[in-house]
Amino acid sequence: IIISIAMLETQTFGSSMPNASLVVAQTDDTQAPPQPTPGPAVLNRKIAAAPGDKSEEHFDQARASFLKKDTHAAAIGILKGAAFLKLQASRATGEARKALTASEHELERLAGGVERGTVTSVQDLRRAFARADRALAEEHFQNAVESWSKKEVNKTGQELKSAADDVELALSWAGHKLNTTTEAAVKDAHAVAAKLTEGAGWTRQEVGKGLDAMSKEVGKLREQA
């Protein structure tokens, strides 16, 4: 799955100082010929979601690079996260697909702003990452419900665990601590998921309770993240 995003290179006009990365150093004593003023050249970056990709790794890398003022590396990390969401959206349906696609587009815009220098606060990244994890939580929860209806026990466990993980991540990026109810729901989801993936020790009532609790937590994320 490929996404493309247009980003403007740094421009120099008149007497403004040229970007050091765009200048070739002179090695002789002759006066360098006047350099043409670069126009608004557009770079088309193509970022692919690799097999086994994880959005959180890219989000963490992007945040670290942004704090180091390496905006190019930060933008690439954000785009890799967007590519992962695009891949997930291609597999999703309904509201989950809409949420993933909206978040993908938000990340693409964010990456452009980071590279151009118009995004100056790490909080802009954190809020976008929170919404991305919220969208992923919706997708995984929807998958868990569908898998359970198809009696796909192992997959139900995997998707339920992923949904719980993404709820935690979304709240963390948004700067919210887990309250008692959310903490209990996440803990129970992990416990039920472990039983489902191991294939023993679970009851239908227990699974239903875990799914219901996670449904409420994913719903609350729409207001918090």
Side-chain angles (χ1 to χ4, degrees), residues 154-192:
N154 185 273
K155 187 176 180 181
T156 300
Q158 294 175 354
E159 297 290 350
L160 181 58
K161 179 184 182 303
S162 293
D165 289 343
D166 286 324
V167 165
E168 280 193 284
L169 289 167
L171 290 173
S172 177
W173 281 120
H176 299 305
K177 292 184 178 180
L178 270 67
N179 59 34
T180 303
T181 302
T182 302
E183 188 173 11
V186 168
K187 183 178 179 180
D188 289 346
H190 282 155
V192 172

Side-chain angles (χ1 to χ4, degrees), residues 153 194-202:
V153 175
K195 292 180 181 180
L196 290 170
T197 53
E198 291 168 4
W202 55 268

